[in-house]
């Protein structure tokens, strides 16, 4: 009789081994399927991205070809010449504007008496005072008259000074023994009368003008016009952002400064460049001329 006991034991172990092997095979199959699926997704994304890029490139190429054909049209043949002509016209118009604004500067700098001055004087004349002469010559004013009060001329001078009419003035008072001797028939029958004269320099504004030009090597090209600004004498002025300018897409750097036709010193120039502004105190008319030069770009892209 055959011995089947041990045979059954080996059969169970074999079944367990095949069961474990089958489970591992299924896990590996699922993992492989996931890897394949991920790979397909990546490949699909790459293919879609490639197709999109191809379509974009074809679209761009088509537009480039259309633009190339458009630019081949005869109407665009002379664009470079027209651009140069327009640039020259701009330069000529800037020069013309510069000349006009420079002439306007002389008009602005011509000091005139304020129209309110006569009204101020008329409102401030005391009842015991008579103005016989009122004259303005340039920036000088003279007032002559008569008064019953010796100190009234000084009061008028102080009043005008309080209203910033005079930058400096002087007063002369003379006693007239008899009104009839004054020669003025409007003052009659009064023995105690004084004649006076108030003369002085009128307070005027200071005009600061600033202009910008480019040194081209063959001459000067104006950038805009001359800008003239009135400042109260003694007040401060400032012109910021002057170190560089951009004209027609080109950048120019401040190279020198002339004040009333005189070149500023190197130390003054360096201080102005460091502050990127020019400033000071208005003490009379002043002309500031800023000169610029083209920015030279060296090899490697550095200025």
């Amino acid at each position: 009789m055959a011995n089947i006991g041990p045979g059954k034991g080996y059969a169970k172990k074999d079944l367990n081994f095949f069961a474990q092997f089958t489970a591992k095979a299924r896990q590996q199959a699922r993992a492989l399927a996931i890897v394949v699926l991920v790979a397909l997704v990546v490949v699909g994304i790459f293919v879609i991205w490639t197709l999109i890029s191809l379509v974009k490139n074809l679209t761009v190429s088509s537009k480039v070809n259309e633009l190339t054909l458009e630019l081949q049209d005869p109407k665009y043949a002379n664009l470079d010449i027209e651009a140069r002509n327009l640039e020259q016209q701009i330069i000529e118009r800037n020069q013309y504007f510069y000349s006009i604004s420079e002439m306007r500067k002389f008009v602005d700098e011509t000091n005139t008496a304020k129209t309110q001055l006569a009204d101020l004087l008329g409102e401030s004349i005391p009842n015991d005072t008579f103005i016989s002469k009122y004259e303005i010559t340039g920036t000088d004013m003279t007032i002559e008259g008569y008064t019953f009060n010796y100190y009234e001329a000084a009061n008028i001078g102080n009043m005008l000074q309080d209203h910033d009419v005079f930058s400096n003035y002087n007063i002369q008072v003379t006693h007239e023994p008899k009104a009839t001797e004054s020669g003025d028939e409007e003052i009659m029958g009064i023995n105690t009368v004084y004649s006076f004269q108030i003369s002085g320099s009128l307070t005027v504004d200071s005009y600061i003008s600033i202009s910008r030009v480019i040194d081209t090597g063959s001459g000067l090209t104006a950038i805009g016009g001359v800008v003239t600004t009135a400042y109260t004498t003694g007040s401060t002025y400032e012109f910021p952002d002057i170190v560089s300018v951009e004209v027609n897409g080109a950048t120019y750097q401040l190279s020198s400064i002339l004040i009333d036709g005189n070149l500023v010193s190197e130390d003054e120039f360096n201080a102005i460049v460091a502050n990127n502004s020019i400033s000071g105190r208005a003490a009379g008319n002043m002309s500031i001329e800023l000169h610029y030069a083209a920015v030279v770009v060296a090899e490697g892209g550095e200025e």
Side-chain angles (χ1 to χ4, degrees), residues 63-100:
K63 291 182 177 180
V64 169
N65 291 333
E66 292 177 2
L67 183 59
T68 301
L69 293 175
E70 177 71 15
L71 292 176
Q72 290 176 354
D73 193 290
K75 64 182 181 181
Y76 297 113
N78 297 322
L79 280 182
D80 289 343
I81 298 175
E82 292 180 11
R84 287 194 295 269
N85 291 337
L86 287 175
E87 185 176 355
Q88 184 61 33
Q89 289 181 21
I90 292 174
I91 292 174
E92 292 175 357
R93 290 180 183 272
N94 274 337
Q95 292 293 115
Y96 179 73
F97 178 50
Y98 182 89
S99 300
I100 294 295

Side-chain angles (χ1 to χ4, degrees), residues 208-227:
I208 311 298
S209 63
I210 186 166
S211 58
R212 292 175 169 86
V213 296
I214 297 175
D215 292 324
T216 60
S218 58
L220 300 177
T221 301
I223 305 174
V226 180
V227 178

Side-chain angles (χ1 to χ4, degrees), residues 266-297:
E266 184 177 354
D267 291 340
E268 290 176 317
F269 179 80
N270 292 335
I272 291 171
V273 170
N275 293 324
N276 194 19
S277 68
I278 184 168
S279 59
R281 190 171 297 277
N285 297 342
M286 179 185 296
S287 177
I288 302 173
E289 191 171 305
L290 306 178
H291 287 239
Y292 292 85
V295 175
V296 179
V297 180

Side-chain angles (χ1 to χ4, degrees), residues 154-165:
N155 292 335
I156 294 174
N158 289 334
M159 178 274 300
L160 295 175
Q161 184 73 4
D162 290 340
H163 286 81
D164 294 327
V165 173

Side-chain angles (χ1 to χ4, degrees), residues 15-34:
L15 290 174
N16 290 334
F17 170 76
F18 285 116
Q20 293 175 358
F21 179 78
T22 303
K24 291 182 179 180
R26 288 174 180 171
Q27 291 176 355
Q28 292 176 352
R30 283 197 297 271
L32 181 61
I34 293 172

Side-chain angles (χ1 to χ4, degrees), residues 1-8:
M1 182 179 296
N3 186 0
I4 61 174
K8 289 181 179 180

